[in-house]
Amino acid sequence: MKASEARWGGGVTLLLFLFIFLPLLAVLINVVFPGFFFGKFEYGGFGLVGEIFHRPLWRQSLWNSLLLALGAATLGTVIGGALAAVRARWNFAAGRLLDTAAWLLLIAPSFMIAQGWVLFASADGLVHQWLGWTWATSFIFSPSGLVFVMALSKFPLAYLAIVAATEWNVRQFGQAARLNGAKPFSVWRTIELPLALPSFLAGWTLVFMDTIGDFGLPAALATVYKFPTLTYSIYSAIYQSPVRFDMAGVLAFYLVVLLALAMTLLLFAVRRSRFDFLNAKAVRTAQEKPRHAWAYNGAVGAFLLVCLGVPIGSSAAVSLLKRTGEGFAANNLTLEHYRSLFAGVAGDHRLLGYLEGLYHSLSIAAVAAVFSMLIGFVTAYVLSFTESRFKSALQLFSVVSLAVPGVVLGIGYIFIWNQKWLEPIGLHLYGTPALLVVAGIAGAIPYAVRVQMGAFGTLSGTMLKAAAIQGAGVFDRMRHIVLPLVRQSLLMATLASFGTSIFDLALASMLKPANYSLMPLVIDKAFEFSQYGYATAATVVSCAIVVLLILALQTAGRWLFRRLDRNRL
């Protein structure tokens, strides 16, 4: 029995090592041994690491990334914390809309959100035409404006982390302190803040890690505002002539160091969490009806209009305009951009076809979603119900996978899978769609594991032990006991993995084969070549197709589950 558990644990540990940890390790090795992956074994020491303080572009990229991440994490946590406090205490209609919008922003690719803001706030954008606000351009296209935009797109990470911590009512401790003479500030400082601090720290670090590893916003801004960050400079180093692997390696090294520090803070916050106030008398937080519900609905609605309505609404509006600068007049409305998508006409010979790119992206995301779900299922099972000797390594790799951004995976994959000695054995994957599938699996595994770990946490190991005593192997236990009980989480993990894989701009940009069209790249290139109508029409159609596919698959899955239950009865 233990041998079987070891095989399963060893198998998924090896996959996570190959897909996630080995590319990360390759990036770090390349800093110390430049050229190691290209046939030049030379020890360079750590001198190259210090070059960042002598090269202006490297230093500016590090400074910009830190500024953006620290600012967005702080502002995003303030926004998320305030909304979470309101949502936890009060029951109002817009609260459910807030929850839905938070998940939409979490799934939406940042480059599409950033493109919407560019179309809204640029010098000839919608805010000039409709409202005449000339100050909006200078504000949005500045460091403080970028922090504001990024915070509005990343706050759901803090919001969801803090809301989850408000499930149980702890007000009785504050009331007891007040009865003993404590003043309101003392209650907040000694009771409420310490209990809430771990969730705020967790939310802050999640926003920080997601922001500093983000590639979409710098890529979208590159055409109108130069703001080099670590992620975009890594990408530029790979695709400039001559290729600068030294620059890419050093910048990736600093990116990994910053993410490791943030991950350490996150683990510290989790360990500092206190759950010992939960006892037999613990009660869940009961939401109250606010006296002025219209004020809460209006405030939350206005906020969602800014953070979600502006970027998405701007893209939808531009997709219907013949010429962006002539406003929303009747003679300027058109569906030509949508027709050009399906006619294969991009308006620029440098753009590859949208339909072909959409087909490739959907196919790669579907395969990646299925395999990431399977790997996530076995990983969650091994972590939850076995004593495999690989459990510690598997736990480490699953945590590390949360923090590795797409650009670091991309450069690591170039180092690992672009080796000549792999050609005779058929594993030279660089420049093939197969590597995009592997990268999609690696990018989706963190979501698949986390979604399924939540479902596995509700299962008792007693029935699995009983089945093991009766001679059932690991595969039989997974198939006949665990799978029927967590099938809904399997479906959600698959859909979440699909939604995140299809819009991954960083991996698509760094690993695409020559003359191979992918949907995110078609949209990004159209935007770069100022084909705004085509880019926004592609954005609207792509998002609509993905949402409809997810809803259809979710509905079909539930229907299938009900049918299986009826047949079983």
Side-chain angles (χ1 to χ4, degrees):
M1 186 188 305
K2 290 190 177 295
S4 180
E5 291 181 351
R7 285 194 296 270
W8 284 95
V12 291
T13 302
L14 178 61
L15 286 176
L16 290 187
F17 177 80
L18 289 174
F19 288 175
I20 297 171
F21 198 77
L22 184 59
L24 176 61
L25 189 61
V27 170
L28 301 179
I29 290 174
N30 188 73
V31 174
V32 182
F33 299 97
F36 175 79
F37 295 97
F38 301 98
K40 298 179 182 179
F41 189 81
E42 298 176 359
Y43 176 68
F46 289 91
L48 195 59
V49 174
E51 285 293 308
I52 198 168
F53 301 106
H54 305 289
R55 305 199 183 192
L57 176 60
W58 298 16
R59 185 174 63 248
Q60 191 62 45
S61 299
L62 175 62
W63 169 250
N64 286 348
S65 289
L66 271 174
L67 176 67
L68 187 61
L70 289 172
T74 302
L75 181 57
T77 303
V78 170
I79 294 172
L83 292 173
V86 171
R87 182 74 179 101
R89 182 166 183 178
W90 304 110
N91 180 20
F92 54 99
R96 290 181 288 276
L97 185 61
L98 175 62
D99 295 338
T100 302
W103 282 107
L104 286 175
L105 283 169
L106 200 61
I107 295 173
S110 62
F111 78 93
M112 290 185 178
I113 297 294
Q115 287 174 1
W117 278 102
V118 169
L119 294 172
F120 177 77
S122 59
D124 57 348
L126 301 182
V127 70
H128 278 216
Q129 300 171 25
W130 294 354
L131 302 175
W133 292 352
T134 56
W135 58 265
T137 301
S138 57
F139 170 68
I140 294 298
F141 298 110
S142 68
S144 57
L146 298 185
V147 167
F148 174 75
V149 170
M150 189 64 87
L152 289 184
S153 65
K154 303 296 184 184
F155 84 89
L157 290 164
Y159 170 76
L160 294 172
I162 297 169
V163 161
T166 62
E167 179 181 5
W168 298 98
N169 191 344
V170 296
R171 280 184 236 161
Q172 68 270 23
F173 299 110
Q175 293 168 357
R178 294 292 300 275
L179 289 174
N180 283 279
K183 295 182 178 179
F185 179 76
S186 298
V187 172
W188 177 82
R189 181 177 59 85
T190 60
I191 297 176
E192 295 177 359
L193 180 61
L195 287 174
L197 188 59
S199 63
F200 275 83
L201 281 176
W204 188 93
T205 52
L206 288 172
V207 176
F208 179 89
M209 288 190 294
D210 203 51
T211 300
I212 204 167
D214 186 83
F215 174 75
L217 183 134
L221 292 175
T223 56
V224 292
Y225 182 67
K226 301 302 180 184
F227 190 79
T229 61
L230 289 174
T231 52
Y232 194 75
S233 294
I234 291 170
Y235 167 77
S236 299
I238 297 296
Y239 285 95
Q240 69 180 9
S241 181
V243 177
R244 295 293 306 277
F245 284 114
D246 58 339
M247 174 181 172
V250 170
L251 297 183
F253 170 79
Y254 277 98
L255 183 58
V256 169
V257 168
L258 292 173
L259 288 167
L261 292 174
M263 180 61 73
T264 302
L265 181 60
L266 176 60
L267 295 176
F268 172 78
V270 171
R271 290 180 180 177
R272 290 274 297 177
S273 298
R274 296 288 303 275
F275 301 101
D276 54 350
F277 62 85
L278 296 178
N279 51 40
K281 296 182 180 180
V283 294
R284 296 184 184 274
T285 301
Q287 292 180 322
E288 303 172 7
K289 201 78 174 177
R291 180 178 300 179
H292 302 293
W294 61 269
Y296 289 90
N297 291 327
V300 170
F303 172 76
L304 295 181
L305 183 64
V306 173
C307 68
L308 198 59
V310 166
I312 293 178
S314 297
S315 294
V318 171
S319 71
L320 297 172
L321 300 178
K322 293 179 182 178
R323 288 169 293 276
T324 306
E326 296 185 10
F328 221 76
N331 60 355
N332 196 35
L333 297 178
T334 182
L335 293 176
E336 186 59 34
H337 303 308
Y338 289 93
R339 283 194 291 268
S340 66
L341 291 180
F342 300 101
V345 180
D348 195 305
H349 69 279
R350 293 169 291 183
L351 298 177
L352 296 173
Y354 169 75
L355 290 180
E356 182 185 5
L358 180 64
Y359 171 75
H360 289 159
S361 294
L362 288 173
S363 302
I364 290 170
V367 176
V370 172
F371 278 96
S372 65
M373 177 271 293
L374 294 174
I375 294 172
F377 176 78
V378 177
T379 300
Y381 181 90
V382 172
L383 291 176
S384 301
F385 301 120
T386 72
E387 298 299 328
S388 171
R389 62 177 178 271
F390 297 100
K391 195 171 180 178
S392 298
L394 190 58
Q395 181 70 49
L396 172 64
F397 294 160
S398 65
V399 171
V400 167
S401 67
L402 288 171
V404 181
V407 289
V408 174
L409 276 180
I411 188 174
Y413 278 11
I414 293 173
F415 290 154
I416 296 297
W417 300 106
N418 191 24
Q419 301 295 314
K420 292 182 178 179
W421 61 270
L422 292 175
E423 292 182 6
I425 58 176
L427 290 179
H428 189 271
L429 300 182
Y430 181 68
T432 68
L435 190 57
L436 288 171
V437 174
V438 174
I441 294 171
I445 280 176
Y447 300 95
V449 172
R450 296 303 148 188
V451 169
Q452 295 183 70
M453 282 293 290
F456 277 49
T458 64
L459 302 181
S460 171
T462 305
M463 49 188 164
L464 295 175
K465 292 178 181 178
I469 293 173
Q470 296 298 319
V474 175
F475 180 73
D476 289 329
R477 279 176 269 161
M478 287 192 290
R479 183 167 61 114
H480 296 296
I481 299 177
V482 178
L483 182 59
L485 294 175
V486 300
R487 61 192 183 188
Q488 187 64 36
S489 74
L490 289 182
L491 177 62
M492 296 305 297
T494 305
L495 297 179
S497 300
F498 175 77
T500 55
S501 299
I502 196 169
F503 291 116
D504 198 322
L505 178 63
L507 290 174
S509 299
M510 300 185 75
L511 301 178
K512 79 173 186 70
N515 299 320
Y516 191 81
S517 180
L518 290 166
M519 179 264 291
L521 295 181
V522 172
I523 296 174
D524 186 58
K525 286 297 181 183
F527 196 85
E528 181 181 341
F529 298 149
S530 300
Q531 300 286 329
Y532 298 133
Y534 187 89
T536 52
T539 297
V540 172
V541 172
S542 301
C543 292
I545 289 175
V546 171
V547 169
L548 290 175
L549 277 175
I550 290 176
L551 291 176
L553 290 172
Q554 190 172 13
T555 303
R558 289 174 177 172
W559 174 83
L560 179 61
F561 295 155
R562 287 195 297 268
R563 188 179 181 88
L564 290 174
D565 289 339
R566 285 197 298 268
N567 292 339
R568 189 176 293 111
L569 293 174

